[in-house]
């Protein structure tokens, strides 16, 4: 087994950071948590979805809101068929990681490998996410990873706003139970559906946002690992590394 320093160097090189990069010596700059920039309200093009009250199709939202642990939440929602994605899934993908983790990653939705295994980020994008984590000194088990929707969209398409909004109460309860110190959103979809930010990810990545829950949670938007794999340039990989470094620095400066 190679030593941890070498693993760290390898991870940095995979992210496009070449040469030995020293541990930051200076106090990292405290990011200013800003309200999302002015933009059209996402509500304008959304059709509000009335929560289903049929417990045969999905759990009542009151039951979801009253779950006292992640395990109970998973049990409560794992047979959900509240949106069309439920009927097409092989496995429900709740999310996984350290339930006391301070860093929460939110992606878009399960892909083929995730649907088969019932775990988030296990394919090539998952491998890259693990390298991204290694570059900031984390292992997968140090963080928590989940998605906007818990069931695979067909052909890995983006979940529709209706699907995402129907699944959102589950994610919000997950966040309430996890109480993360910082959230990293991967790609445009979680930023749009969770925060209502419609700005393209290329423009907004690296700029702190704020989720108005639990007194305000800092949110760092960055590229989705699947995008990084498609655009495997040094600039894109370095951008992700910078975003994750900023998220890690925020946590280091704000211990529990
Ligand atoms: S994606 Fe979410 S809302 Fe849709 S069926 Fe799956 S768990 Fe239910």
């Amino acid at each position: 087994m190679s030593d941890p320093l070498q693993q760290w160097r390898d991870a940095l090189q995979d992210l496009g950071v070449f040469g030995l990069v020293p541990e930051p010596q200076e106090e990292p700059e405290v990011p200013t948590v800003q309200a999302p920039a002015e933009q059209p309200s996402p509500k304008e093009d959304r059709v509000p979805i009335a929560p289903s009250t049929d417990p045969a199709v999905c759990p009542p939202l009151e039951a979801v809101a009253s779950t006292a642990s992640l395990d109970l939440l998973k049990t409560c929602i794992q047979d959900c068929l509240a949106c069309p994605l439920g009927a097409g899934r092989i496995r429900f993908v709740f999310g996984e990681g350290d339930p006391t983790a301070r860093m929460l990653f939110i992606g878009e939705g399960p892909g083929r490998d995730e649907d088969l295994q019932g775990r988030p980020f296990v394919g090539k994008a998952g491998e890259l996410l693990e390298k991204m984590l290694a570059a900031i000194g984390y292992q997968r088990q140090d963080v928590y990873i989940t998605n906007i929707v818990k069931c695979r969209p067909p052909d890995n398409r983006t979940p529709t706003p209706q699907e995402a909004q129907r699944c959102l109460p589950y994610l919000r309860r997950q966040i309430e139970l996890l109480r993360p110190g910082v959230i990293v959103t991967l790609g445009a979809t979680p930023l749009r559906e969770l925060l209502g930010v419609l700005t393209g990810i290329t423009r907004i990545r690296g700029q702190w946002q704020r989720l108005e829950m639990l007194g305000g949670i800092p949110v760092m938007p960055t590229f989705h690992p699947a995008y990084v794999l498609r655009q495997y340039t040094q600039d894109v990989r370095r951008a992700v590394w910078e975003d994750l470094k900023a998220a890690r620095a925020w946590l280091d400066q704000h211990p529990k």
Side-chain angles (χ1 to χ4, degrees):
M1 188 182 296
S2 58
D3 72 81
L5 180 59
Q6 187 59 48
Q7 286 179 347
W8 179 66
R9 287 185 181 125
D10 293 346
L12 291 179
Q13 290 195 356
D14 280 331
L15 288 174
V17 181
F18 295 98
L20 178 60
V21 181
E23 296 261 21
Q25 297 298 314
E26 297 171 9
E27 280 286 295
E29 190 180 336
V30 179
T32 305
V33 178
Q34 300 169 337
E38 229 178 272
Q39 50 208 301
S41 164
K43 295 187 180 71
E44 288 168 11
D45 57 359
R46 300 286 165 80
V47 180
I49 300 171
S52 170
T53 53
D54 180 358
V57 173
C58 69
L61 294 183
E62 301 75 35
V64 171
S66 65
T67 50
S69 70
L70 289 169
D71 285 345
L72 289 171
L73 174 62
K74 182 178 179 183
T75 302
C76 179
I77 66 176
Q78 64 189 358
D79 298 320
C80 173
L81 294 171
C83 87
L85 300 183
R89 72 175 170 238
I90 296 173
R91 303 279 297 273
F92 174 84
V93 183
F94 179 70
E96 68 179 24
D98 179 356
T100 67
R102 299 194 65 223
M103 190 177 289
L104 168 63
F105 286 81
I106 303 177
E108 181 176 288
R112 180 177 164 277
D113 294 324
E114 291 77 14
D115 189 34
L116 287 170
Q117 296 189 37
R119 299 177 56 212
F121 285 92
V122 290
K124 288 195 180 311
E127 284 174 24
L128 181 59
L129 179 60
E130 289 176 19
K131 287 178 178 173
M132 290 157 58
L133 289 172
I136 57 164
Y138 280 146
Q139 294 185 309
R140 184 183 176 100
Q141 56 267 32
D142 297 326
V143 301
Y144 199 92
I145 306 169
T146 190
N147 285 304
I148 282 286
V149 291
K150 314 297 187 200
C151 307
R152 182 191 181 195
D155 302 321
N156 294 343
R157 66 161 169 76
T158 302
T160 65
Q162 287 78 12
E163 292 159 353
Q165 292 301 310
R166 189 62 198 83
C167 212
L168 202 57
Y170 306 158
L171 176 62
R172 292 181 72 88
R173 185 61 188 153
Q174 226 170 354
I175 294 171
E176 286 172 351
L177 291 165
L178 283 162
R179 305 186 72 82
V182 70
I183 294 174
V184 178
T185 51
L186 302 169
T189 302
L191 203 56
R192 183 178 65 239
E193 302 300 345
L194 185 60
L195 278 80
V197 174
L198 303 183
T199 308
I201 190 64
T202 306
R203 277 184 53 209
I204 206 162
R205 63 135 285 272
Q207 299 178 37
W208 285 102
Q209 308 295 310
R210 180 182 175 93
L211 176 62
E212 297 300 342
M213 284 180 66
L214 305 171
I217 305 173
V219 176
M220 172 54 69
T222 196
F223 293 125
H224 193 287
Y227 172 83
V228 180
L229 287 170
R230 288 195 304 273
Q231 303 287 329
Y232 206 69
T233 66
Q234 190 170 337
D235 284 350
V236 167
R237 286 176 284 156
R238 182 181 287 270
V240 173
W241 184 58
E242 295 290 347
D243 299 343
L244 296 189
K245 259 197 320 179
R248 173 77 200 243
W250 172 269
L251 286 184
D252 290 346
Q253 289 199 336
H254 297 80
K256 253 183 178 171

